[in-house]
Amino acid sequence: MRKISILGATGSIGQSTIDLIRRDSSAYDVVALTGGANIARLAEDAISLNADLAVTAYPDRLEELRAALAGTNVEVAAGQQALIEAAERPADWIMSAIVGAAGLAPGLAALRQGTTLALANKESLVCAGALLLDTARAHNARILPVDSEHSAIFQGLVGEDMSAVERIIITASGGALRDWPLEKLAGATLEQAMHHPNWDMGQRITIDSASMFNKAMEVIETREYFGVSPEQIEVLVHPESMVHALVGFCDGAIMAHLGAPDMRHAIGYALYWPDRRDLPVERLDLARIGQLNFATPDPARFPALGLAYRVMSRGGMMGAVFNGAKERALDHFIAGKIGFLEMASIVEHVLDHFEDQSGLIDDAMTLDNVLRIDHLARQRADMVMTKQTG
């Protein structure tokens, strides 16, 4: 049996992973499941999958988890250190789907045991791409991309020489507000930003889709994972969300990856790699679809994209600054403290503050240093928010 763990099991990626595992549960020995505040879901999945360990990120929910798993053989634990220890338990394949910078330390812990890490936590590559990739190389571990765009790029490069790659194009749905008049965006509410036209995701990723901060993160991810220059990375708004990414080669050819907007495509590819297996996903009927549309993103509507290219140009640990500021600005928008467009404004001001601080940004990329930068960026974002709101 193949030993697997799922970090972030109660989120949308984790639940889609569990859906695939349940279809062939006899093939897997589930070592650990981790989650957040959805204790009932975490306990239910731990019991049904006969997991060895269940961990909640919240120490104050430990007793609730323990009660939910009373009478079973499932171990329980809670807190950040427990998440790291869960990732350290020997497994052949580990899904990293914890949301935010909190997923970095468990992901590094998993890589240090030389396993295959299915990476859905985009913040890890944005904050500490070099550290993550160096750790994988040092321990003969493997990182497989699970973001649909990066999985698509990865598949488009099978059998290809990277030196022949001319450009990489990732697509964006445009989010819930893509058809809004520009002058109305400043007044967009939390509820309006959360109504994605193509799929149902978690609150934070849906808002990041509307602001295109998720795509800004994916641009940085593309550079880190595939080693291409920022100038080789392009973004197109593609409302149908069926073309996930395209790879352009020096002979003018473009390889496009198409599929229904279903994360089980990318998860299944990583789970079964290097093989392909049947997946319970929709098969595209291109004749019925009729047409696919693409457009260049408007920089005034999506300022986050320009900030991503600025981060890549500066280098060092500016990715950690960007992510920390973005996460904090998103917190403030969700809390109703700032408007929709103020998120990008806050991130820009934080980048301004850190850009010339070479003593911080160009320091050695260690986990401690990345977490320190992340903390400082969040603090600065709070200061900017306080000044902007008076």
Side-chain angles (χ1 to χ4, degrees):
M1 295 177 70
R2 193 177 180 196
K3 290 182 175 291
I4 68 168
S5 292
I6 305 173
L7 312 179
T10 55
S12 60
I13 298 295
Q15 289 296 295
S16 292
T17 305
I18 288 172
D19 176 72
L20 293 180
I21 289 167
R22 280 204 174 106
R23 294 167 189 272
D24 190 18
S25 58
S26 63
Y28 302 101
D29 177 7
V30 178
V31 176
L33 298 178
T34 79
N38 193 342
I39 301 301
R41 170 58 63 191
L42 179 60
E44 180 182 332
D45 289 337
I47 292 169
S48 67
L49 295 174
N50 195 29
D52 297 333
L53 171 69
V55 178
T56 172
Y58 299 103
D60 60 345
R61 306 297 292 274
L62 176 60
E63 292 308 315
E64 183 182 349
L65 180 61
R66 181 174 283 123
L69 290 169
T72 73
N73 294 321
V74 182
E75 297 177 54
V76 298
Q80 178 67 13
Q81 186 56 39
L83 295 177
I84 294 170
E85 291 171 1
E88 291 173 337
R89 294 206 175 192
D92 304 307
W93 188 89
I94 297 178
M95 168 59 76
S96 174
I98 296 172
V99 175
L104 175 58
L108 288 169
L111 290 172
R112 284 193 290 268
Q113 61 162 291
T115 190
T116 294
L117 185 71
L119 186 64
N121 173 259
K122 56 172 55 72
E123 293 82 3
S124 294
L125 279 172
V126 172
C127 293
L131 176 60
L132 203 74
L133 296 171
D134 287 348
T135 301
R137 281 189 289 268
H139 296 275
N140 294 315
R142 177 180 291 112
I143 301 174
L144 295 176
V146 174
D147 262 355
S148 59
E149 295 80 5
H150 302 95
S151 176
I153 297 165
F154 186 79
Q155 294 179 53
L157 290 171
V158 171
E160 301 290 349
D161 187 334
M162 279 301 299
S163 65
V165 175
E166 190 172 72
R167 57 183 176 147
I168 290 176
I169 305 167
I170 59 177
T171 60
S173 69
L177 311 176
R178 69 186 177 208
D179 298 321
W180 276 43
L182 189 59
E183 62 272 15
K184 287 190 173 183
L185 284 179
T189 67
L190 175 63
E191 291 73 23
Q192 289 165 334
M194 286 178 54
H195 284 104
H196 197 282
N198 295 353
W199 52 70
D200 181 19
M201 302 179 291
Q203 181 187 59
R204 299 180 74 84
I205 186 63
T206 305
I207 299 167
D208 277 350
S209 177
S211 66
M212 206 138 355
F213 265 110
N214 71 324
K215 207 55 51 178
M217 301 276 283
E218 288 165 10
V219 167
I220 300 172
E221 273 189 281
T222 300
R223 184 214 179 185
E224 295 292 336
Y225 191 89
F226 298 102
V228 295
S229 69
E231 295 74 25
Q232 291 176 282
I233 307 168
E234 304 171 26
V235 177
L236 286 176
V237 176
H238 169 49
E240 294 83 5
S241 298
M242 293 180 185
V243 178
H244 303 301
L246 307 96
V247 180
F249 296 93
C250 59
D251 61 356
I254 294 180
M255 299 283 193
H257 179 283
L258 285 78
D262 187 328
M263 281 305 300
R264 290 177 297 180
H265 275 292
I267 295 167
Y269 190 81
L271 181 62
Y272 303 129
W273 186 87
D275 299 325
R276 286 189 185 271
R277 298 196 190 169
D278 289 345
L279 292 174
V281 298
E282 178 188 352
R283 272 51 175 172
L284 293 185
D285 182 345
L286 294 178
R288 179 181 58 82
I289 294 166
Q291 65 180 20
L292 300 172
N293 296 280
F294 303 91
T296 302
D298 179 356
R301 179 180 292 274
F302 302 118
L305 291 177
L307 297 178
Y309 284 91
R310 177 178 168 186
V311 166
M312 293 187 291
S313 175
R314 175 56 180 83
M317 286 187 283
M318 281 295 275
V321 174
F322 179 77
N323 180 73
K326 188 274 297 184
E327 288 195 21
R328 203 69 189 108
L330 178 57
D331 290 340
H332 292 313
F333 176 67
I334 291 172
K337 296 178 180 178
I338 62 173
F340 181 76
L341 292 181
E342 289 178 282
M343 289 188 287
S345 175
I346 287 174
V347 174
E348 183 175 15
H349 278 84
V350 175
L351 294 180
D352 289 343
H353 176 75
F354 282 91
E355 196 161 32
D356 296 325
Q357 297 192 32
S358 58
L360 281 172
I361 300 306
D362 298 321
D363 205 351
M365 188 176 284
T366 65
L367 177 59
D368 286 344
N369 284 343
V370 170
L371 294 179
R372 178 165 65 106
I373 292 291
D374 173 82
H375 176 69
L376 292 173
R378 291 168 192 263
Q379 281 188 327
R380 191 69 190 182
D382 288 345
M383 291 175 60
V384 174
M385 187 276 294
T386 300
K387 288 180 181 178
Q388 287 188 352
T389 56

